[in-house]
């Protein structure tokens, strides 16, 4: 059980997904979770009613009682929030940012020397508590606090501590990954319907097939290559399907998709931070 008190600065959909997971998991008492926004009292009342957490407008927050602040506002507001927080935080308090495209170094440069910052990146499956979430500690983050942040994020799925320069690759795999699977399902449905099957049955068959294959990979020691070879008989149906994929450039396309998404993630981060700096 996490004993720290955490405060969400922002009450959007990602914040709510995290709050829901934390409350349902029981990893942290609901009374240790505070949710704030600038002025939308109705939104705060809704979250309080649904999850039993404490809610206050940001200007009414008692900063001294908070151990970790989760930054969950819009990225465009980050400079104003950091400027407001700079002289209110102690060195023992931690900022945990879920803001896409904002690096730990960008935040550290706008805070007092030695301020603890941790960057986390959940993906959309957090709404089902099945997220793949990356954590990247900043230069001054204490490992005990990193582990607390990791435990908090485990409330919405699996968590991986990675170096921040790998965050763009993570985005190309986990951030964009759900869309790759949906894209695959689109083509499974399209092909199956052309062969006379109904959409609902196809969706269930395809989703269960992907789910079962993923579970097998997580629960066994074999590599993806070994698992693929185990289910591929020479001259069989699977071999024919894989051969068609190879001839159509399937493996190359997957690689290019990940690299393309990672490259765009890096570009967007530079563009966002550039716009924030240029707006001053």
């Amino acid at each position: 059980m996490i004993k720290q008190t955490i405060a969400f600065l922002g009450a959007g959909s990602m914040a709510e997904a995290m709050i829901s997971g934390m409350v349902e998991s029981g990893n942290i008492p609901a009374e240790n979770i505070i949710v704030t926004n600038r002025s939308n009292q109705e939104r705060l009342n809704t979250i309080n009613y649904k999850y039993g957490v404490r809610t206050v407008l940001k200007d009414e927050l008692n900063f001294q009682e908070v151990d970790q602040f989760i930054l969950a506002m819009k990225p465009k507001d980050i400079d104003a929030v950091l400027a407001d927080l700079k002289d209110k935080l102690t060195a023992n308090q931690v900022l945990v940012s879920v803001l896409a495209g904002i690096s730990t170094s960008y935040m550290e440069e706008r805070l007092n020397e030695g301020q603890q910052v941790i960057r986390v990146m959940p993906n959309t499956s957090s709404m089902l508590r099945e997220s793949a979430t990356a954590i990247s500690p900043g230069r001054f983050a204490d490992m005990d606090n990193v582990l607390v942040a990791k435990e908090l994020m485990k409330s919405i799925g699996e968590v991986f501590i990675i170096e921040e320069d790998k965050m763009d690759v993570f985005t190309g795999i986990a951030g964009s990954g759900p869309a790759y699977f949906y894209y695959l399902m689109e083509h499974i449905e399209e092909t199956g319907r052309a062969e006379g099957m109904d959409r609902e049955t196809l969706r269930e068959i395809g989703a269960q097939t992907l789910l079962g294959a993923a579970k097998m990979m997580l629960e066994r020691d074999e590599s993806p290559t070994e698992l693929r070879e185990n289910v591929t008989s020479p001259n069989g149906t699977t071999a024919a399907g894989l051969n068609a994929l190879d001839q159509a450039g399937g493996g190359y396309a997957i690689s290019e998709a990940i690299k393309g998404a990672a490259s765009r993630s890096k570009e967007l981060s530079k563009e966002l931070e550039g716009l924030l700096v240029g707006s001053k």
Side-chain angles (χ1 to χ4, degrees):
M1 178 74 71
I2 295 171
K3 304 298 184 182
Q4 292 189 359
T5 296
I6 67 169
F8 282 84
L9 304 186
S13 57
M14 179 57 74
E16 183 170 359
M18 295 169 67
I19 293 161
S20 174
M22 290 174 187
V23 171
E24 289 183 24
S25 72
N27 283 351
I28 180 171
E31 60 266 24
N32 284 25
I33 301 173
I34 306 171
V35 184
T36 77
N37 63 27
R38 287 183 294 181
S39 59
N40 191 342
Q41 186 66 61
E42 183 178 356
R43 172 65 173 160
L44 295 179
N45 290 343
T46 298
I47 289 178
N48 170 261
Y49 177 78
K50 290 174 70 175
Y51 305 109
V53 299
R54 290 190 281 161
T55 57
V56 296
L57 294 175
K58 183 171 174 289
D59 290 341
E60 300 170 1
L61 177 63
N62 177 6
F63 282 79
Q64 283 65 48
E65 71 169 313
V66 179
D67 299 293
Q68 297 203 14
F69 295 85
I70 299 182
L71 305 183
M73 77 293 297
K74 295 178 180 178
K76 68 180 181 62
D77 296 326
I78 185 63
D79 282 350
V81 171
L82 293 178
D84 181 55
L85 291 174
K86 181 175 181 179
D87 294 325
K88 296 179 179 178
L89 298 176
T90 68
N92 292 327
Q93 291 175 306
V94 187
L95 293 184
V96 179
S97 171
V98 298
L99 306 182
I102 305 294
S103 65
T104 57
S105 60
Y106 184 92
M107 291 182 281
E108 288 167 347
E109 289 169 3
R110 286 152 182 80
L111 296 165
N112 292 319
E113 180 73 14
Q115 190 67 59
Q116 298 187 62
V117 176
I118 300 170
R119 182 179 175 189
V120 303
M121 184 175 289
N123 66 8
T124 57
S125 301
S126 60
M127 292 181 286
L128 301 176
R129 296 178 63 188
E130 293 291 350
S131 175
T133 300
I135 289 186
S136 294
R139 288 186 298 153
F140 309 111
D142 180 86
M143 185 50 65
D144 287 341
N145 286 320
V146 174
L147 293 177
V148 170
K150 179 179 180 181
E151 196 64 27
L152 287 170
M153 294 304 116
K154 283 176 66 176
S155 302
I156 57 172
E158 295 298 323
V159 183
F160 309 90
I161 298 178
I162 66 173
E163 296 175 356
E164 191 165 14
D165 63 359
K166 306 300 188 298
M167 192 65 88
D168 295 311
V169 175
F170 177 86
T171 298
I173 298 170
S176 302
Y180 306 153
F181 286 100
Y182 302 147
Y183 183 78
L184 174 60
M185 277 301 305
E186 287 180 62
H187 288 275
I188 288 174
E189 286 189 7
E190 180 181 327
T191 305
R193 291 194 72 198
E195 296 297 323
M197 294 185 69
D198 65 274
R199 186 186 301 277
E200 290 73 19
T201 301
L202 285 165
R203 186 161 301 178
E204 292 184 13
I205 291 171
Q208 183 58 45
T209 300
L210 294 174
L211 182 64
K215 188 173 182 180
M216 184 174 290
M217 187 164 59
L218 289 173
E219 294 183 355
R220 296 195 176 183
D221 293 331
E222 293 101 323
S223 69
T225 299
E226 291 172 321
L227 289 170
R228 174 178 57 76
E229 291 175 346
N230 288 344
V231 298
T232 307
S233 302
N235 299 317
T237 57
T238 304
L242 289 171
N243 184 57
L245 273 176
D246 284 340
Q247 290 185 351
Y252 175 79
I254 293 169
S255 176
E256 288 299 295
I258 293 170
K259 289 189 288 186
S263 177
R264 184 56 180 152
S265 173
K266 188 175 296 184
E267 290 173 357
L268 288 172
S269 294
K270 290 180 179 179
E271 289 173 10
L272 177 57
E273 292 187 354
L275 285 172
L276 290 169
V277 171
S279 65
K280 292 186 176 182

